[in-house]
Amino acid sequence: MPPDSTDPEFSQLDQEALRFHMRPQPGKVGLAATKPMATQRDLSLAYSPGVAAPVRAIAADPDSVYDYTSKGNMVAVVSNGTAILGLGNLGAAASKPVMEGKAVLFKRFADLDAFDVEVEYTDPERFIECVQGFGNSFGGINLEDIKAPECFEIEKRLRELLDIPVFHDDQHGTAIIAAAGLINACHLTGRKFEDLKVVLCGAGAAGLSVIELIKSMGVKDENTTVVDIHGVVFKGREGDHQRLAGHAIETEKRTLLDAVEGADCLLGLSAAGAFTPEIVAKLAPNPIIFAMANPTPEITPEEVAKVRDDVIMATGRSDYPNQVNNVLGFPYIFRGALDVRARTINEEMKIAAARALAALAREDVPDEVAEAYGGDRLQYGRDYIIPTPFDPRLIHYIPPYVAEAAVKTGVARKPIEDFEAYRRELERRSNPSASIQQRVTASIRKTQKRIVFAEGEEPSVIRAAFAFQNQGLGQAVLIAREDVARANMRAVGLPDDALEICNARLSEHNAEYADFLYEKLQRRGFLRRDVQRRVNNDRNIFSACMLKMGHADGMVTGVTRHSNVVMKDVTLVLEAAEGSRAVGIAAAIAQDRTYLFGDVSVSEFPDGEGLAEIAIATAQAAKRLRITPHLAFLSYSSFGNPPGERTEKIQEAVRILDRRGVDFEYEGEMAADVALSPEQHELYPFSRLTKPANVLVMPAIHSASIALRLLKSAGGATVIGPMLVGLEKPVQIARLGASVTDIVNLAGIAAYDLNTVET
């Protein structure tokens, strides 16, 4: 079970992480069959007797294992837990959450199936023998969190023993991203690699790999100085392992402060605070500083700025420009390597990846990336020398360079003949819509909206509000009685002053809200005392008034009341946005495709006009989420067959959209299989949809709810929402008893504001 909230070893964030990993089922990965398994024939083909055919084929031609099994898209993430993140040697079992996380990143960013394997052996020989035994079952091996210097020998030997790519990401991932940034930093400062004077502070696995990679790209041995915890690595120094000794130079310098005198570039992979202002001051003009220690860099950009203003700087942090993030490398390197069935990942492939990343940073930044950064238009320059993980072009930009290098160096079993076709194939694999929540999160961090949590006395809401604020997503305000909220804050392990609390009855704006609401409702049978009582006692009414009067930017509620009750309260205060109507939409991510459903929570039986308005609102929300809408009105029939009165309102909705001349694709009425089928044009060549539908307008709430729940429960889809659009202010209504994660996500949607009109 998760630790008690008073356990000093586990913070609130730690406890949320434990719950995340435990529920609804333990872990972060699972297995899904890629072939149907419903009938006896399916089973006969998948197993006995049908499986004998591919067995014989592979026995006759071992390389055909790539044709008949999933090997070519499978990566093993392997660790013995001797160097877990920044936690050290905690053992193989403790490394499993990290390895599962790495597997998820492979799938999310490169559509590779990755499986974690935790090996109990810390002895290098036994570890090597173990991995050698199962290694060729996979298309590639990603070694992770293995301590130095053993990791060097382990990777070297496994590369020799196995006929597949073996890649220790702790070493090479960081090296590749750092090298990409260094290419552009040199370009901006007018330097060449062969003239670059480099000092490396931190001689672990990652540090040595960085220095080795940039040496292979042109940096000279005599221009590099390596500094470890004992000082400068010089020739004749005793106790250095073979790989470290290979970087020793003839020098009288013994300290980092000595070494940096006049250096062009200072690379840090050591510890927080390792770089002092004095060190920064001694570097050459226009220096390059990569302070890559995690989670706290050797020196922060703010500290550097106090010393000089001519520095190009990168860190490992996402909250500073130029993040050296391994996720920019390993998914796409393995993607390119496996797509040509490479036997290894060699130096040329790593250099190709670094150069591709550098080249991508110089290209015009797409809207998706600008959106992820709050609308800021990133441009190649001192604060943008490395692409961001939010760039949707990575999947189809980086792998072709890696694959091409593999082909040119002769390590590819299956050369690619048409690289343009390969890029198009990779583009189809990309799924930028699956990053909806990441895009929202990155955007709202910039704006820091003030979000009201109406049910602020509930423990789950308190935890969600704290998570929202603690993650830097915005400012959280609890609507609650102070004594109750603070008691519950203590109960969940938070200090009394962790969050702002607003008591509706005692608020300085109470009378102002009552005056406004009475003027609005007096001709609808509300007496002044009725209005005052609602402002005092109904947190949804009070929260909506905060939005209406500009005292907050967004609101999330619904955990303790049914959504229809909440909507009645909120719409006493807030109107529909001009030219719109309230619509509940949901995003469902299934099998790497994202669908938006509308309406799922507001209008029970909309007429033709209502369906048209729902379509417009849902399409607008899709655009706000950077999804190009291809909208289908769903029905039990397709284009009048079979006919029925229930289809007439859908046909009327289509005619209304025709008259309005909207700027998105739409079609209907259509059966669900017709709307989602790429082959629809064979049966209905007149259809206006150029792609399978991704925005689905349902004829009624009950059909929307049934479809969405089936997709989630039976189809394994990830569902975000319902998300409310169409009100004059952003309000999000959680489902009754929603989880902390759901509440945080909806608070983010409220801060993002799906009603915003794109220009």
Side-chain angles (χ1 to χ4, degrees):
M1 295 295 294
D4 185 83
S5 60
T6 59
D7 190 329
E9 290 191 23
F10 291 90
S11 68
Q12 177 69 16
L13 178 61
D14 291 333
Q15 292 184 57
E16 292 297 336
L18 291 171
R19 293 185 185 94
F20 174 85
H21 282 79
M22 178 181 285
R23 299 169 185 158
Q25 64 184 50
K28 300 188 287 286
V29 295
L31 179 68
T34 60
K35 300 292 190 296
M37 295 292 163
T39 68
Q40 182 61 45
R41 177 171 173 76
D42 294 338
L43 296 178
S44 296
L45 291 171
Y47 197 55
S48 181
V51 75
V55 168
R56 292 195 302 269
I58 294 168
D61 176 12
D63 276 354
S64 69
V65 68
Y66 288 96
D67 299 316
Y68 300 116
T69 75
S70 57
K71 174 176 177 172
N73 202 57
M74 287 174 57
V75 176
V77 182
V78 185
S79 180
N80 61 7
T82 53
I84 303 173
L85 294 174
L87 301 173
N89 185 355
L90 298 181
S95 75
K96 189 171 181 67
V98 183
M99 301 311 115
E100 284 189 351
K102 198 65 175 276
V104 170
L105 295 179
F106 269 109
K107 187 64 178 177
R108 164 64 183 84
F109 288 101
D111 195 23
L112 286 165
D113 297 317
F115 299 87
D116 62 291
V117 181
E118 290 73 39
V119 176
E120 294 288 344
Y121 303 135
T122 57
D123 175 70
E125 288 300 325
R126 297 187 73 186
F127 184 94
I128 291 166
E129 184 179 355
C130 176
V131 178
Q132 181 189 5
F134 67 75
N136 279 321
S137 296
F138 296 87
I141 302 287
N142 182 97
L143 298 173
E144 195 80 16
D145 290 359
I146 303 169
K147 71 182 181 73
E150 290 92 332
C151 62
F152 305 135
E153 180 66 14
I154 287 171
E155 187 197 42
K156 177 177 178 293
R157 292 272 302 284
L158 285 174
R159 290 181 64 185
E160 295 168 352
L161 293 167
L162 295 174
D163 199 29
I164 57 172
V166 178
F167 185 84
H168 185 207
D169 187 49
D170 297 320
Q171 298 181 58
H172 310 301
T174 302
I176 289 164
I177 314 309
L182 196 55
I183 290 170
N184 283 338
C186 286
H187 177 262
L188 290 168
T189 57
R191 293 181 169 103
K192 296 181 179 179
F193 266 40
E194 53 265 33
D195 302 321
L196 196 67
K197 295 180 180 178
V198 180
V199 175
L200 167 68
C201 178
L208 292 182
S209 291
V210 171
I211 210 74
E212 287 166 0
L213 183 61
I214 64 173
K215 281 183 177 181
S216 69
M217 296 171 67
V219 174
K220 295 178 179 177
D221 287 341
E222 60 267 26
N223 286 342
T224 60
T225 304
V226 175
V227 183
D228 65 6
I229 195 171
H230 304 295
V232 171
V233 178
F234 59 89
K235 286 191 180 294
R237 194 177 79 159
E238 296 182 356
D240 294 339
H241 58 79
Q242 183 178 1
R243 188 167 176 185
L244 179 58
H247 297 285
I249 60 171
E250 295 283 0
T251 181
E252 297 298 319
K253 296 177 180 179
R254 293 294 182 265
T255 69
L256 177 59
L257 188 60
D258 296 335
V260 297
E261 181 73 47
D264 301 305
C265 176
L266 176 58
L267 304 175
L269 283 151
S270 53
F275 299 165
T276 65
E278 188 179 5
I279 286 171
V280 172
K282 293 185 71 173
L283 294 168
N286 291 308
I288 301 161
I289 300 177
F290 284 12
M292 296 175 280
N294 263 320
T296 307
E298 287 82 356
I299 191 169
T300 66
E302 294 92 340
E303 292 168 325
V304 169
K306 292 178 181 178
V307 181
R308 55 197 301 171
D309 61 4
D310 60 343
V311 178
I312 291 182
M313 188 164 183
T315 72
R317 292 268 292 267
S318 61
D319 52 347
Y320 290 126
N322 301 325
Q323 184 190 15
V324 179
N325 188 334
N326 282 22
V327 81
L328 290 166
F330 69 84
Y332 312 112
I333 293 164
F334 270 98
R335 179 78 271 163
L338 266 62
D339 286 342
V340 293
R341 302 178 184 175
R343 300 180 186 277
T344 189
I345 294 173
N346 56 30
E347 204 74 0
E348 290 83 357
M349 294 162 73
K350 290 186 285 184
I351 292 172
R355 288 177 174 159
L357 282 166
L360 181 58
R362 299 186 199 184
E363 295 200 359
D364 184 50
V365 177
D367 290 341
E368 293 90 335
V369 177
E371 180 73 13
Y373 281 80
D376 290 352
R377 176 62 63 180
L378 297 175
Q379 287 186 316
Y380 174 61
R382 288 175 174 265
D383 288 334
Y384 182 65
I385 58 174
I386 303 171
T388 78
F390 291 98
D391 196 321
R393 299 169 297 175
L394 287 160
I395 179 63
H396 58 86
Y397 197 98
I398 308 303
Y401 286 92
V402 177
E404 187 176 19
V407 172
K408 287 182 177 178
T409 55
V411 299
R413 291 184 180 87
K414 184 185 176 184
I416 292 173
E417 296 182 2
D418 186 344
F419 273 92
E420 279 306 312
Y422 176 50
R423 286 186 178 89
R424 290 193 296 272
E425 179 189 335
L426 289 171
E427 197 165 1
R428 287 192 294 270
R429 283 184 179 270
S430 68
N431 184 24
S433 55
S435 64
I436 288 173
Q437 206 62 48
Q438 292 98 318
R439 188 179 303 126
V440 167
T441 296
S443 176
I444 64 178
R445 278 201 173 109
K446 281 275 188 179
T447 55
Q448 289 294 298
K449 298 289 182 65
R450 180 176 166 87
I451 302 301
V452 174
F453 291 76
E455 298 149 309
E457 295 178 2
E458 294 298 310
S460 61
V461 174
I462 291 170
R463 287 165 48 208
F466 179 76
F468 177 81
Q469 185 166 291
N470 194 50
Q471 293 171 29
L473 304 179
Q475 181 184 355
V477 181
L478 300 178
I479 306 303
R481 293 166 293 178
E482 292 90 338
D483 56 340
V484 177
R486 290 199 168 99
N488 286 337
M489 287 165 71
R490 290 192 294 271
V492 299
L494 296 177
D496 286 3
D497 59 352
L499 294 164
E500 180 184 344
I501 301 171
C502 180
N503 187 324
R505 185 181 293 274
L506 303 179
S507 168
E508 63 179 317
H509 299 295
N510 184 288
E512 177 187 358
Y513 295 169
D515 290 343
F516 156 73
L517 197 57
Y518 178 59
E519 183 177 348
K520 186 174 192 295
L521 300 179
Q522 58 188 330
R523 293 186 178 275
R524 292 169 58 181
F526 286 83
L527 300 177
R528 170 75 193 206
R529 65 173 181 267
D530 298 328
V531 169
Q532 186 66 65
R533 186 170 56 251
R534 283 178 176 265
V535 171
N536 287 348
N537 300 327
D538 192 310
R539 293 176 186 134
N540 287 324
I541 294 285
F542 183 84
S543 299
C545 286
M546 288 184 72
L547 267 64
K548 180 70 175 182
M549 306 306 287
H551 299 144
D553 300 303
M555 166 183 168
V556 61
T557 185
V559 177
T560 62
R561 300 185 192 179
H562 287 288
S563 60
N564 61 325
V565 176
V566 176
M567 275 296 293
K568 288 179 182 177
D569 290 341
V570 169
T571 52
L572 285 175
V573 180
L574 300 175
E575 303 289 340
E578 184 177 355
S580 186
R581 68 184 286 156
V583 175
I585 66 172
I589 302 167
Q591 297 179 342
D592 295 331
R593 293 179 65 184
T594 296
Y595 306 95
L596 289 189
F597 287 74
D599 179 5
V600 299
S601 62
V602 180
S603 301
E604 187 173 4
F605 288 105
D607 57 14
E609 182 73 28
L611 286 172
E613 291 174 351
I614 289 168
I616 292 170
T618 310
Q620 175 61 41
K623 293 178 184 178
R624 175 72 171 130
L625 293 169
R626 296 292 177 188
I627 298 171
T628 301
H630 304 279
L631 185 146
F633 290 95
L634 295 190
S635 177
Y636 63 88
S637 70
S638 296
F639 306 112
N641 186 23
E645 62 178 274
R646 291 181 179 270
T647 65
E648 291 175 1
K649 62 179 183 178
I650 299 177
Q651 295 165 356
E652 174 61 19
V654 172
R655 289 192 290 269
I656 291 170
L657 293 186
D658 288 343
R659 291 195 296 270
R660 293 190 183 182
V662 295
D663 60 350
F664 57 87
E665 284 186 3
Y666 58 92
E667 188 58 283
E669 78 280 11
M670 307 172 77
D673 55 344
V674 174
L676 303 180
S677 170
E679 291 79 32
Q680 61 170 302
H681 281 283
E682 294 182 13
L683 291 173
Y684 305 101
F686 53 83
S687 172
R688 288 178 281 195
L689 294 184
T690 61
K691 292 184 178 180
N694 57 4
V695 177
L696 309 175
V697 174
M698 313 299 280
I701 279 183
H702 66 271
S703 53
S705 178
I706 291 168
L708 197 62
R709 290 170 190 260
L710 275 174
L711 196 58
K712 180 178 181 180
S713 299
T718 297
V719 174
I720 302 174
M723 299 175 283
L724 187 62
V725 299
L727 290 180
E728 59 179 315
K729 299 288 184 179
V731 176
Q732 294 302 327
I733 303 175
R735 60 181 172 81
L736 198 65
S739 70
V740 171
T741 298
D742 288 340
I743 301 168
V744 173
N745 287 344
L746 287 176
I749 294 293
Y752 190 68
D753 188 3
L754 290 176
N755 298 314
T756 301
V757 178
E758 298 296 297
T759 58

